[in-house]
């Protein structure tokens, strides 16, 4: 008989709360951003944007969330990983939707990745600060 695995899922209401908190933090920083929150499969649960935020930041936020959920670590960690491995440095950035700069964080519950949050529109540090604010709003921290 086949065994079934039980995995936790990020609820859409938590995703929306995280996105709203990220947007509020961006307002405090006086930046306009796009925020995407995805489940562990990389499927969008929540998306918000400020009026007049950069157009291209929409897809970047989604891809940051997708990348963080897919690998279970912050998108900002990719630079160090790629520096250490020339073959990965050539191949991985060619992958569609892979983002190798800051602003995407995994949503981790008891060490299990249940989703990702991506923010785009400010600097890498500002985007990541907004994503962290989103996680804090749902009672989570990132590493």
């Amino acid at each position: 008989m086949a065994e079934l695995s039980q995995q936790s899922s990020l609820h859409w209401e938590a995703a929306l709360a995280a996105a709203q908190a990220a947007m509020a933090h961006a307002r405090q920083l006086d930046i306009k951003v796009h925020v995407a929150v995805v489940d562990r499969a990389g499927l969008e649960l929540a998306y918000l944007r400020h009026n007049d935020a950069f157009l291209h930041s929409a897809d970047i936020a989604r891809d940051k969330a997708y990348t963080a959920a897919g690998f279970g670590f912050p998108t900002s960690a990719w630079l160090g990983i790629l520096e250490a491995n020339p073959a990965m440095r050539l191949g991985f950035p060619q992958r569609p939707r892979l983002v190798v700069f800051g602003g995407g964080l995994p949503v981790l519950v008891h060490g299990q990745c249940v989703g990702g949050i991506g923010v785009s529109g400010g600097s890498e540090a500002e985007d990541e600060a907004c994503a962290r604010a989103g996680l804090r709003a749902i009672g989570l921290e990132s590493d």
Side-chain angles (χ1 to χ4, degrees), residues 3-28:
E3 289 187 38
L4 300 177
S5 67
Q6 295 226 335
Q7 296 180 327
S8 298
S9 294
L10 182 62
H11 194 275
W12 71 266
E13 289 174 317
L16 180 58
Q20 289 172 325
M23 293 284 285
H25 192 76
R27 187 178 325 112
Q28 291 175 346

Side-chain angles (χ1 to χ4, degrees), residues 121-136:
S123 69
E124 288 181 67
E126 290 169 330
D127 290 351
E128 191 161 308
C130 293
R132 287 184 192 284
L135 293 180
R136 279 193 304 276

Side-chain angles (χ1 to χ4, degrees), residues 78-93:
W78 274 105
L79 192 57
I81 293 166
L82 295 174
E83 282 179 358
N85 188 317
M88 287 179 68
R89 187 171 47 248
L90 291 173
F92 266 73

Side-chain angles (χ1 to χ4, degrees), residues 96-111:
R97 301 197 65 192
L98 181 81
V99 175
V100 297
F101 48 87
L105 297 175
V107 179
L108 302 173
V109 177
H110 305 298

Side-chain angles (χ1 to χ4, degrees), residues 113-125:
C113 186
V114 298
I117 182 169
V119 179
S120 183
S123 69
E124 288 181 67

